[in-house]
């Protein structure tokens, strides 16, 4: 199993069905209209990682989930526990646009 599926005890992921995280991720990514490939790029994770997280039952590293949560503007607690309201399309789109601007700024060569 890839290193990406290491237990993240700090967030209690081993005690919950890991597939719930993947289902929540797929739901919000779909709601936002964001491809898995673009989420991988914006989050700075390996290509194909989002697809794996959405389809394979396994543990996810807390750092990986934190990167994804940052891009989507979603709390880690929501991904792990499902507590609180599901993010709205508007909040997701806003967070993704912020991440796109930050990515574009970091990708520009220094003058």
């Amino acid at each position: 199993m890839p290193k990406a599926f290491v237990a993240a005890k700090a967030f209690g992921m081993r005690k919950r069905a890991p597939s719930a995280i993947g289902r929540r991720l797929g739901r919000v990514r779909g709601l936002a209209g964001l491809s898995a490939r673009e989420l991988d790029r914006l989050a700075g994770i390996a290509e194909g990682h989002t697809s794996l997280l959405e389809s394979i039952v396994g543990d996810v590293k807390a750092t990986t989930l934190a990167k994804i949560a940052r891009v989507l503007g979603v709390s880690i607690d929501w991904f792990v526990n499902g507590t609180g309201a599901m993010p709205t399309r508007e909040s997701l789109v806003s967070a993704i646009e912020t991440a796109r601007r930050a990515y574009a700024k970091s990708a520009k060569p220094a003058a």
Side-chain angles (χ1 to χ4, degrees), residues 4-96:
F5 295 96
V6 175
K9 292 180 184 177
F11 296 103
M13 291 178 198
R14 202 174 273 289
K15 295 179 182 176
R16 288 160 185 79
S19 59
I21 294 170
R23 285 193 307 270
R24 289 184 190 107
L25 174 57
R27 198 174 326 145
V28 295
R29 190 179 61 73
L31 181 62
L34 185 66
S35 72
R37 178 177 274 177
E38 185 174 14
L39 180 54
D40 292 340
R41 182 177 57 85
L42 293 174
I45 60 178
E47 187 175 321
H49 212 85
T50 295
S51 294
L52 283 173
L53 293 175
E54 291 177 0
S55 62
I56 295 176
V57 174
D59 291 329
V60 59
K61 288 174 61 175
T63 53
T64 300
L65 191 57
K67 289 175 182 181
I68 291 170
R70 178 189 45 81
V71 170
L72 296 172
V74 176
S75 74
I76 292 174
D77 188 51
W78 184 81
F79 274 123
V80 175
N81 301 309
T83 55
M86 184 170 156
T88 64
R89 179 170 175 17
E90 293 76 22
S91 68
L92 291 166
V93 169
S94 176
I96 291 164

